[in-house]
Amino acid sequence: MARRWTNTLTSADVTPKAAFLNRRQIMAGIGGMAGLAGIGGLPQAAQAETLEPNSWEDVTTYCNYYEFGTGKGDPAKYAGQLTTSPWSVKIDGLVDRPGDYDFQQILSEMTLEERIYRFRCVEAWSMVVPWTGFELADLLNLAGVQAGAKYVGFETLYRPSEMPGTAYRALDWPYREGLRLDEALHPLTLMATGIFGKDLPNQNGAPLRLVVPWKYGFKSIKSIVRITLTDTEPQTSWNMANAREYGFYSNVNPEVSHPRWSQATERRIGGGLFASRADTQMFNGYGDEVASLYDGMDLAKHF
Ligand SMILES: Nc1nc2c(c(=O)[nH]1)N[C@H]1C(S)=C(S)[C@@H](COP(=O)(O)O)O[C@H]1N2
Ligand SMILES: [Mo]
């Protein structure tokens, strides 16, 4: 089966460190070829997994980006006016080389690869997205994480003149998110610069956004301008807005309900009006990779 999106990356672009992940994702991307020979060595689960990406239309027109409005179509309508070049990311806090990192400079230092990930919003809808990007760990290594760092905070651009949604106090701007350092350094944690082999459309968080596939979508903060290494848990926008409903961890978990709805099932975008709901998977299906990060933690308490 042919892949349905333009892709300029080949397996030759894969860094050795990420070879397993990328091969697995490439296999997932050509789902339907499960009988293909020569993939010995991949675990059973990875071989069985087939991920069919959503359409370009789904991914770029059904969005959450409250800086441009709270409607799902607002980002596609209004984010076009956002100036994304030049762009720089301030990396500060507990790092050896703090400073303003130019986006083009960052790109020249990073190895881009494609990752096809499930994406699960806390609102109980889901998609499958073919991202292009690099591991956040590689960017953090560029800045040099100091021994005392325990968390990573992120901030989105706050530019009211180009962001009509910020006229409303839907959230306390700038949009802020955070991860524990071990989550941030996990090889699944991606800094995305593209989808379907093209640059990120503004509505999806151009030019650079986080993707943490085992957590609810709001952790995947868009259009990042600042990354801060800290020794205390950073404040995050959704948690500040409603701590009872949006925890710091926000790992996808079918057994922990949102106070106003169940998280046991999800609606796949693009499935049509009468499509049945899918069962939500623990850690959004990435438990083999990430469950050990939470050994001994009460996931209902640290939701
Ligand atoms: N800055 C910023 N980042 C954000 C959001 C937002 O409103 N502002 N929404 C989050 C939510 S709730 C989701 S589900 C995802 C949506 O990403 P997508 O529109 O690319 O699918 O972005 C997340 N990142
Ligand atoms: Mo979301």
Side-chain angles (χ1 to χ4, degrees):
M1 181 197 290
R3 299 167 81 176
R4 295 182 305 160
W5 63 92
T6 329
N7 178 23
T8 53
L9 303 175
T10 69
S11 53
D13 297 298
V14 176
T15 56
K17 178 176 57 151
F20 164 74
L21 286 164
N22 209 53
R23 241 169 44 141
R24 166 182 179 170
Q25 298 304 339
I26 288 167
M27 284 315 299
I30 55 172
M33 296 181 71
L36 194 74
I39 53 169
L42 281 180
Q44 212 72 44
Q47 290 190 34
E49 185 176 33
T50 56
L51 287 181
E52 181 67 20
N54 275 77
S55 66
W56 170 267
E57 169 92 3
D58 290 340
V59 179
T60 60
T61 64
Y62 191 92
C63 298
N64 275 331
Y65 197 164
Y66 277 21
E67 288 87 335
F68 296 96
T70 55
K72 293 288 181 276
D74 288 340
K77 231 185 276 171
Y78 302 118
Q81 61 190 294
L82 184 68
T83 308
T84 60
S85 176
W87 192 274
S88 69
V89 181
K90 180 186 291 299
I91 307 184
D92 61 359
L94 299 170
V95 290
D96 295 331
R97 291 172 289 281
D100 294 311
Y101 287 73
D102 179 72
F103 176 62
Q104 292 304 329
Q105 181 65 28
I106 292 173
L107 275 187
S108 73
E109 307 264 3
M110 297 290 128
T111 305
L112 294 181
E113 53 180 295
E114 183 173 71
R115 301 276 183 92
I116 302 167
Y117 283 162
R118 277 183 290 278
F119 188 86
R120 170 63 156 80
C121 177
V122 72
E123 299 163 336
W125 54 263
S126 65
M127 294 191 199
V128 173
V129 183
W131 304 103
T132 307
F134 53 84
E135 292 182 15
L136 173 60
D138 291 339
L139 179 59
L140 295 180
N141 286 337
L142 204 63
V145 178
Q146 294 185 343
K150 295 196 180 79
Y151 295 90
V152 188
F154 303 87
E155 268 180 41
T156 293
L157 175 74
Y158 174 61
R159 187 182 290 151
S161 62
E162 292 183 345
M163 295 175 146
T166 60
Y168 307 91
R169 301 281 295 179
L171 290 168
D172 188 356
W173 316 111
Y175 193 104
R176 272 157 281 180
E177 258 309 331
L179 296 171
R180 223 170 52 190
L181 183 61
D182 57 344
E183 298 175 324
L185 294 177
H186 193 282
L188 283 175
T189 301
L190 203 67
M191 290 295 268
T193 59
I195 53 173
F196 298 89
K198 299 183 167 76
D199 288 347
L200 270 182
N202 289 354
Q203 62 264 38
N204 296 100
L208 185 67
R209 61 92 59 87
L210 186 67
V211 179
V212 193
W214 70 94
K215 293 177 178 283
Y216 292 121
F218 67 86
K219 300 292 293 182
S220 292
I221 181 173
K222 295 178 168 179
S223 307
I224 295 168
V225 292
R226 186 174 179 194
I227 300 176
T228 307
L229 281 287
T230 62
D231 57 2
T232 54
E233 191 179 286
Q235 289 211 301
T236 61
S237 292
W238 280 102
N239 186 256
M240 288 188 282
N242 192 334
R244 215 175 67 84
E245 300 193 352
Y246 308 104
F248 176 79
Y249 284 92
S250 288
N251 292 314
V252 175
N253 188 339
E255 288 156 27
V256 177
S257 298
H258 185 279
R260 291 183 279 131
W261 59 82
S262 165
Q263 295 289 23
T265 64
E266 63 200 52
R267 176 174 63 94
R268 289 202 181 123
I269 300 303
L273 206 50
F274 302 104
S276 60
R277 295 175 71 88
D279 287 338
T280 289
Q281 302 178 62
M282 188 67 200
F283 296 115
N284 203 26
Y286 300 98
D288 286 353
E289 290 90 346
V290 302
S292 63
L293 296 176
Y294 310 102
D295 277 349
M297 264 178 68
D298 179 346
L299 296 178
K301 189 167 164 233
H302 301 278
F303 63 90

